Amino acid sequence: MDQDLLTYLQSFLTERRVQLFDKVLRERTTHFTVAVEDVYQLHNTSAVIRSCESFGVQELHVIEEVNAKRIDREIAMGAQKWVDVSRHNSASSCIKSLREQGYKIVATSPHKDAHRLEEFDVTEKAAIFFGRETEGLSDLVMEEADDFIYIPMVGFTESLNISVSAAITLQHIMTKLKSSAVDWKFSEQELFDKKLAWTRKMIKDVERIEQRYLDERG
């Protein structure tokens, strides 16, 4: 870690911004991640990014096997700057990558073996998959899933909009995670790396400034 470089770059930010980065990153996690599969409506993916940012989930995976779309910056409201978005051209490649990172694959679906959201075990690293607006998750994701969860409903409506479902799910599991004994926070190295990345994003012509820092130190 080059703490001196970070301190130097942070001198170009306001003290309030530096403190805000510290505060927000202390609440971030990669214990959970989210994957959205071929969502049709652009604003839905953007709204999920916003929910991830709001509830402290650092990473989002977007599967674009059928629908490849840009992120709606207006709906995301800047959240895409603070959430790491990975794009995948197939569900299988996304699942493979997540499994290699130690994530359990969890499908959101009223599957016959599904658990109610409040029964979800937060102790294991999990990737929560949300599907298309009308069809839901693909057969592949359903077959590969290690677990299933659903949001209990008592009205005539049998399903929620994906952005609403994601917000409810993330709020619940993150609240439950933070009250558990799980070590869900970033390591000191992860905190440093993300703080440095975010600081760089805020500085215009940061490459020139970093080079000047290196030149001054020989």
Side-chain angles (χ1 to χ4, degrees):
M1 290 190 291
D2 191 341
Q3 185 61 50
D4 289 341
L5 171 61
L6 177 59
T7 301
Y8 176 76
L9 292 178
Q10 285 182 330
S11 69
F12 291 86
L13 307 182
T14 64
E15 182 60 29
R16 179 181 179 279
R17 175 67 67 175
V18 172
Q19 292 176 356
L20 187 59
F21 280 179
D22 287 341
K23 178 183 176 182
V24 169
L25 284 170
R26 293 291 176 184
E27 297 295 326
R28 287 295 168 97
T29 191
T30 55
H31 183 78
F32 293 135
T33 189
V34 170
V36 292
E37 184 184 28
D38 282 319
V39 174
Y40 294 133
Q41 298 296 325
L42 181 60
H43 68 270
N44 281 332
T45 299
S46 300
V48 174
I49 295 174
R50 190 176 174 188
S51 290
C52 286
E53 204 285 323
S54 296
F55 296 116
V57 175
Q58 183 58 39
E59 298 175 351
L60 172 75
H61 298 265
V62 179
I63 300 168
E64 300 173 310
E65 195 162 356
V66 177
N67 303 304
K69 297 186 177 181
R70 62 179 176 79
I71 294 168
D72 187 326
R73 294 180 183 276
E74 182 177 352
I75 299 297
M77 296 185 69
Q80 71 280 359
K81 292 169 63 176
W82 315 117
V83 173
D84 300 328
V85 180
S86 298
R87 309 181 100 97
H88 305 266
N89 58 18
S90 71
S92 59
S93 65
C94 179
I95 290 171
K96 181 176 184 294
S97 174
L98 289 168
R99 286 201 192 283
E100 289 172 350
Q101 297 173 61
Y103 286 102
K104 177 173 71 172
I105 306 303
V106 179
T108 53
S109 168
H111 186 274
K112 62 181 178 66
D113 295 324
H115 299 103
R116 294 166 64 96
L117 178 58
E118 61 266 30
E119 299 170 350
F120 180 61
D121 180 5
V122 299
T123 61
E124 295 183 77
K125 285 182 65 174
I128 316 298
F129 276 68
F130 296 91
R132 287 162 281 194
E133 291 87 346
T134 52
E135 296 93 336
L137 290 165
S138 66
D139 290 342
L140 175 64
V141 173
M142 295 296 286
E143 291 166 2
E144 291 287 336
D146 303 302
D147 200 359
F148 304 86
I149 56 173
Y150 72 98
I151 300 170
M153 288 174 282
V154 296
F156 293 108
T157 303
E158 295 182 349
S159 64
L160 296 169
N161 177 279
I162 177 180
S163 61
V164 175
S165 178
I168 292 172
T169 300
L170 292 180
Q171 192 278 335
H172 179 84
I173 65 175
M174 285 302 298
T175 299
K176 191 173 180 180
L177 177 66
K178 290 179 179 182
S179 64
S180 74
V182 175
D183 183 14
W184 55 269
K185 293 188 176 185
F186 280 177
S187 67
E188 288 303 314
Q189 182 65 57
E190 289 171 323
L191 281 171
F192 173 84
D193 291 343
K194 194 56 60 181
K195 199 178 297 182
L196 181 59
W198 285 8
T199 300
R200 282 171 169 153
K201 288 182 180 182
M202 300 301 297
I203 301 174
K204 185 177 180 181
D205 201 12
V206 67
E207 291 85 359
R208 179 183 61 81
I209 291 173
E210 284 191 35
Q211 187 58 53
R212 185 173 67 192
Y213 165 85
L214 294 173
D215 292 343
E216 289 176 355
R217 283 151 183 77

